[in-house]
Every structure is written in structure tokens, then in C-alpha cells.
Amino acid sequence: MQSTPTPLTAPSRRDLLTGLSLAAATPLLLGVTTRPTSPSRPSGRPAPAGGTVLLRAASLVLTMDPGLGGGGPLGAVENADVLMRDGAIAAVGPALQRPPGARVVEASGKLVMPGFVDTHTHLWQAVIRGGCTDRDLFGWFAGCTDPQRARLTPAALHSFVRLAALDAVQSGVTTLADWVDIFAFDLIESYVRALAGTGVRFTYAMYPPKPDAVLLTKVKKELVDPAPLGSFQVATHAARAVQDHNRAHWEAAQDLGVMLNSHVLERPEQRADDPIGVLADIGALGPRLLINHAVHLTDAEIAAVAEHDVRAAHCPLSNMRLASGIMRLAEFGRRGVKVGLGLDGGTNDSSDFHALMKTAIGLQRARATDAGVFPQVQDVLRMATLGGAEALGIADRVGSLTPGKRADLVVIDPAALNFAPRFDWVGQLVFNGRPENIDAVFVDGRPLKLDGRLVDVDTGRVVREAEAAATRLRATGQAVPSGSGRSAPRPRRDPKDTA
């Protein structure tokens, strides 16, 4: 492993600009539907062999495609099969014919839907789960994030990332976007290797310690691009104090043909940084920008975000835990902003996406004292799946069970004490569901969880290794690893450019 990057010849913007525009959806016929070709994958990334799998006789399939089933935003189909072939959705409909050699997974009495899309997380923070419970955002940064982050080693980092990623998978997450400011190349290499090894679809959003296009290019091309399910973003934290860095990050994102990913206005004190104004001044407002948290935006700022089709990640559990405030989600929804949900790493403490959906609804109702306020159940289910894919710019590949898209889905068993009896399964998915109801998880057609257990994963060993790594870090209190970038410039009043 290398501790510092080696020089590379920076490619030109003309060579690398690939774009993230969404492919136009092909009209689909009601019932059993197929597409002649799958959406294109990024260059140089062969799809992992998913084989052929038939999910048989699911009681309810939520395709999230209004063109399927009985219409409506959830695209619900009752008593249907789902056929996956070569990592893609091949067909959805009743009584599909079993192809020769297909593996059959019985889904009678169960629900099938797209996997959850976590649009904002920090997996390495598993080392500080449950920490600093009496602190706000700034206290969390000073008391939990910085001390542990400063002690990370490649081996420890691998253990924490693997633990958190597998927890996300077993909870039904099939895609995640990880905002990471780990700077040394050997640490980055360990991080990406841990992510890729779990089988989850991931976006590595890299915050560079300085405007370093060479390091960004090296990480993308040598570490992320070779991962079959990996993609890349450039991360930043917009603030006037570091506007030149923000501009360099945006230019690097354009050169690499990827999105810019920024924390924005998580706390009211960050208003002095004027992040939306900075992003507007550098020309970043647009569909290639993902903003995280966005709790304290003004009416004018929300209007600008909507006008420019900026994407947003909503992290209600984290915002609530850290006393950061409540995002004006109803206003974002009214203006049609594409919003996904984010677990936000250690300040969510677990990977319970059902709790995340329920909180996204509950906080808006508590704020408005109105049970009819946005989001409703169907809205938050969409945010957790297709909305998250839209926020990450990958809705042409995942987020719905549209034939031709990648086969990322979950099977949910409602025959449980917390879920039964059946009354309104769609509502119960949000208000009753828990991670233990996730019976199966498929990513790119490959089973990562079956019969309620992760496939080929010794969870006891994963936990033991993470515990041992955490114990060693806290006992040694070792110095900052070489090249970790602790001297990197930080925006004023910004505790979250590492959290």
C-alpha cells in the first residue's frame, strides 16, 4: 500500500467529462414487461454475474414505477413474480415462466420493493456509535469525531467500514453514498476495499485536503473505477472562508464528470458561511450538485435550489439527535426538489431505514401540527428508493424495479410480532418495519442476504474484529498517521466537514 499518491498526468476536461444526465425512460406496458437492453454501465465496469433468479409469488411488489401494476407512484403489483437475469430486472408480473437453470426464491406472503438508497453517510464513524449523546453538532465534532479519526489505521478503518456497510446491507440498504475526508492514500485504499468487499453499491465522495486534482484522479481511476459497483463524487463543504477550494473542487468534479457533494447549513451558526451563495458564485448550482442536511435554508435559497434542480439529502434522525433543527422538507416537496434520505453515519447510531422514514414523516407533522403535510407514506417510500437514486444521479440504473434496471431489491417478511396483522402493508412498511423484517437483499442480482441472514458473512467475526480495533485505538491514542491531512483548511464554524 502507498502512503502518498504518485504523480499522474491530469486528463483534460474534454477527455473525462462524461456527464450524469438521466437516461430517458422507455414507455412500459402494463403487466409483464421487458426491455431490449440494460442501461449502460460506467466504462470499464463489467457487471458481476448475478445469474438468473426468480422471486416467486410475492404477495405485493412495489416497483416504484408508475407505468407498472395498477398505476400510482408506487407501481404496486399484487401476487407477482420478479425475474432477475444477469444482474438486471428482466420482468415483473404474475406467473412468470421459470427460465432453464433459474434459481427460485419463494416469496409467498412477502413484500418485494427496491432496496433503500442511503444518500449520505460516514461509515467509518461506526467506531463512535452511541458516543457524545449529550452533545450538539459542534460537541460531537470535538468530543467524538476528531479524536477517533486522528487515530485511524488502515486495518482499523477496514473493520469499521465493513461493520457499518454490512449493517446497512442487512437493514435493506443496497446503495449508499459515503462522504469521506480520509486523506492518506493507504487509508483511502483500505476504505474502498472494505466497501467493495461487502457487495453493496456505493458512491465514494472524496473530500480532498486541498484542491488536489492529481489525488482525486488517482483515487477515482485506481481504486473506485475498478470496483464493479463503485462510483465517485468530489466532496466539499461550501463556505466563504474556503471559496477558492470550493471552486477548485467544483472544477475537479467537472473534469472527472462526476457530481459535487457538499454539506450545507446543518446548523444555524453556519449561515455566516453563506454556502448557497458560494455554490451559486462558483457556478455549481444544478443537477450535478448534491447538498446534505440543508436544514436552515431561506425561502429564496430553497427557490434557487428548486430552480436549478439541485439534489438534496435529508438526514432527520441525525439532525434530531444533534439538535440541528428540522429541514423544511414540506417546502422542498412543494417545489419539486429531488430529495433522498441519509443515515449520516455515527450520529444515526444504526442503519434502520424504517426508523428514518418514520422520522422523516413524524418531524414534519410535529412541526406543522398537520397530519396531511408532505411527506406522506408514499412520498417517503419514494424518497427512500427512487428519490435517493435521483439525488445521486443514478435513477437510470437503480431505484425502481423497472425492467432493464439493475436488480437491487429487498424482500420483506411481514409475518412478525412487530408487523402483523395485515391492515395496510404500505403504511406498515414505514411505521411498523424494522431491519429484522428484511428477509432477503439482492444487489446487481446477487443475494447478499437470504432467509434473514447475510450470505457468506461471519457476523460474529466482523463484530469481534471491530471491537478489537476500537479497543486498540482507544488504548494507544496513537499520533495522526502520516499524510492524514489534519492540517487541511476548514470552513469557519464547520464541525461537520469530517462528520
Side-chain angles (χ1 to χ4, degrees), residues 116-456:
F116 299 129
V117 178
D118 180 2
T119 57
H120 184 67
T121 195
H122 311 276
L123 293 176
W124 75 268
Q125 291 177 2
V127 66
I128 39 182
R129 283 175 168 174
C132 300
T133 55
D134 60 346
R135 311 287 183 91
D136 64 8
L137 180 65
F138 301 103
W140 158 264
F141 181 78
C144 274
T145 303
D146 256 0
Q148 296 303 321
R149 176 179 166 275
R151 300 169 182 169
L152 291 172
T153 65
L157 187 62
H158 189 278
S159 296
F160 304 141
V161 172
R162 181 176 56 172
L163 175 80
L166 289 173
D167 181 39
V169 169
Q170 66 90 23
S171 302
V173 173
T174 54
T175 296
L176 58 85
D178 202 339
W179 196 106
V180 190
D181 62 344
I182 305 298
F183 304 139
F185 190 83
D186 59 344
L187 293 174
I188 298 171
E189 183 178 36
S190 182
Y191 208 119
V192 174
R193 183 164 51 87
L195 270 171
T198 64
V200 72
R201 191 180 304 277
F202 69 92
T203 293
Y204 190 90
M206 178 183 169
Y207 178 82
K210 56 184 179 180
D212 191 341
V214 172
L215 180 59
L216 285 165
T217 301
K218 181 179 177 66
V219 170
K220 180 180 184 297
K221 289 193 170 295
E222 294 188 13
L223 301 181
V224 178
D225 284 356
L229 300 179
S231 60
F232 189 77
Q233 292 178 355
V234 177
T236 195
H237 193 112
R240 286 294 175 193
V242 290
Q243 181 172 333
D244 288 344
H245 285 186
N246 300 146
R247 178 176 287 107
H249 294 161
W250 170 235
E251 290 174 353
Q254 293 180 89
D255 286 344
L256 294 171
V258 301
M259 292 182 75
L260 185 70
N261 184 323
S262 180
H263 288 101
V264 166
L265 287 171
E266 188 171 357
R267 287 282 303 184
E269 294 90 339
Q270 293 167 324
R271 284 232 53 90
D273 292 329
D274 188 24
I276 298 296
V278 170
L279 292 166
D281 289 348
I282 66 175
L285 292 188
R288 287 174 171 267
L289 173 65
L290 173 63
I291 57 174
N292 308 301
H293 302 292
V295 176
H296 298 284
L297 272 64
T298 64
D299 289 345
E301 289 168 337
I302 295 175
V305 164
E307 179 184 354
H308 291 88
D309 196 21
V310 174
R311 316 302 166 87
H314 177 38
C315 307
L317 281 170
S318 171
N319 297 155
M320 184 170 65
R321 186 198 199 274
L322 295 177
S324 294
I326 303 174
M327 181 188 191
R328 297 171 61 192
L329 185 57
E331 185 66 13
F332 278 73
R334 188 179 73 80
R335 292 183 175 272
V337 178
K338 295 179 177 66
V339 180
L341 297 177
L343 289 167
D344 199 29
T347 51
N348 193 78
D349 299 300
S350 74
S351 300
D352 189 341
F353 233 81
H354 297 280
L356 193 65
M357 292 189 289
K358 182 162 56 177
T359 305
I361 291 177
L363 284 179
Q364 297 304 311
R365 292 184 181 184
R367 186 173 185 270
T369 62
D370 177 7
V373 71
F374 179 92
Q376 294 297 302
V377 165
Q378 65 182 24
D379 302 314
V380 81
L381 282 168
R382 191 182 188 282
M383 290 168 60
T385 54
L386 186 58
E390 290 173 342
L392 296 179
I394 56 174
D396 60 329
R397 283 173 275 160
V398 299
S400 71
L401 302 186
T402 303
K405 288 191 179 183
R406 306 312 297 172
D408 293 6
L409 57 82
V410 296
V411 180
I412 299 169
D413 187 356
L417 293 174
N418 66 292
F419 212 109
R422 181 173 185 174
F423 184 79
D424 173 7
W425 268 356
V426 173
Q428 286 166 275
L429 276 173
V430 173
F431 289 105
N432 293 73
R434 293 201 297 250
E436 58 262 37
N437 300 122
I438 303 294
D439 186 64
V441 177
F442 289 82
V443 175
D444 232 40
R446 293 180 58 245
L448 303 186
K449 184 178 185 181
L450 285 174
D451 298 323
R453 298 175 63 87
L454 292 174
V455 176
D456 296 329

